[in-house]
Amino acid sequence: TWQPPPPEIKTLAEAAIHRLCSYCSTLKHPYKNGKVIIVMIGYTTLGTNDLEKAAAFYDALFADQGLKRMTPNDRLVMWSSKAGAAMFGIIKPFDGKAASVGNGTMIALMVDSAETVAKLHARALELGGSDEGEVGPRGGGGMTFAYARDLDGNKLAFYAAK
């Protein structure tokens, strides 16, 4: 059941995490030493059946975003802005079976501006990706989104806050 935030919660982000954790049965103690414990994504991967082709797609897509390959090998390529930052990757499935697109699965990449959203969306389509939603406002509050699928059919969202 929901419980009101304790007095040490001062920001909207902390309040949102408190609300999420109060509904989540696996996170019974979202606080440690009076502070909210924040769990962030370290990396995410999308499956591919053609690592070389997918890597070329993402190399080109990320070329102007300051992301560089971090850990390439024969099964996996990861990109990040720097060591220790969140990473995005493509991978050949470990079980040896064909990669497939998860229905409802989407990776959202936050960028700095609506212009960058438009640029990445256009670039994804130029690289052979498919359109899943034109650039435009979504959800109010000045958010700009665009959606595309990569060469393997994985859905990507590009978005920027006002």
Side-chain angles (χ1 to χ4, degrees), residues 4-152:
E8 60 267 14
I9 291 191
K10 305 283 188 230
T11 68
L12 184 59
E14 289 174 336
I17 291 167
H18 170 79
R19 184 171 181 206
L20 175 66
C21 291
S22 69
Y23 286 113
C24 180
S25 63
T26 61
L27 296 175
K28 294 181 181 174
H29 304 288
Y31 307 99
K32 183 176 182 179
N33 300 327
K35 293 186 178 184
V36 175
I37 299 168
I38 299 175
V39 178
M40 298 301 293
I41 294 172
Y43 69 90
T44 186
T45 60
L46 294 173
T48 183
N49 294 305
D50 188 333
L51 192 64
E52 186 176 320
K53 191 173 181 181
F57 176 90
Y58 284 105
D59 279 341
L61 185 65
F62 295 150
D64 297 332
Q65 302 306 309
L67 301 178
K68 304 207 180 328
R69 285 190 187 198
M70 300 299 280
T71 58
N73 63 43
D74 62 340
R75 285 190 51 246
L76 168 75
V77 179
M78 303 285 275
W79 290 265
S80 185
S81 59
K82 62 183 178 181
M87 294 182 290
F88 173 89
I90 53 171
I91 190 167
K92 288 176 153 180
F94 182 75
D95 64 8
K97 295 180 183 174
S100 61
V101 178
N103 188 23
T105 301
M106 176 175 61
I107 304 300
L109 303 171
M110 185 173 67
V111 298
D112 61 346
S113 66
E115 292 78 24
T116 303
V117 169
K119 183 177 179 180
L120 285 171
H121 182 256
R123 186 71 175 134
L125 301 183
E126 289 169 12
L127 293 167
S130 61
D131 183 22
E132 281 289 316
E134 294 181 4
V135 177
R138 307 278 198 300
M143 301 283 286
T144 300
F145 283 81
Y147 303 88
R149 290 197 183 264
D150 70 8
L151 303 177
D152 287 291

